[in-house]
Amino acid sequence: MSVDITCGKCGEKISTMQMLKSVKDVMKHYNNKCPSCGQVLSVTEFLLDVEKK
Ligand SMILES: [Zn+2]
């Protein structure tokens, strides 16, 4: 299973996790901002696409 974290504002794929970790830890790595558009993101503004394989 992999989880894509996508910016809810611009649609940029920010990160892909191989397992479901804390989304907040990933956001902290990016200073809670989208690296593409600079939009400050909250958890609810991330789109999580979970693909079961
Ligand atoms: Zn963005």
Side-chain angles (χ1 to χ4, degrees):
M1 185 178 78
S2 65
V3 180
D4 291 338
I5 300 177
T6 306
C7 175
K9 297 295 182 182
C10 70
E12 178 77 9
K13 184 186 289 186
I14 296 168
S15 181
T16 301
M17 296 183 292
Q18 293 303 313
M19 62 185 72
L20 190 57
K21 298 179 183 177
S22 172
V23 175
K24 288 184 179 180
D25 286 345
V26 177
M27 288 170 54
K28 189 181 298 180
H29 179 72
Y30 292 104
N31 295 319
N32 292 349
K33 292 182 181 179
C34 172
S36 179
C37 68
Q39 175 69 42
V40 177
L41 298 170
S42 66
V43 173
T44 56
E45 288 173 315
F46 279 91
L47 301 178
L48 300 181
D49 295 326
V50 180
E51 296 182 3
K52 293 181 180 179
K53 295 181 180 178

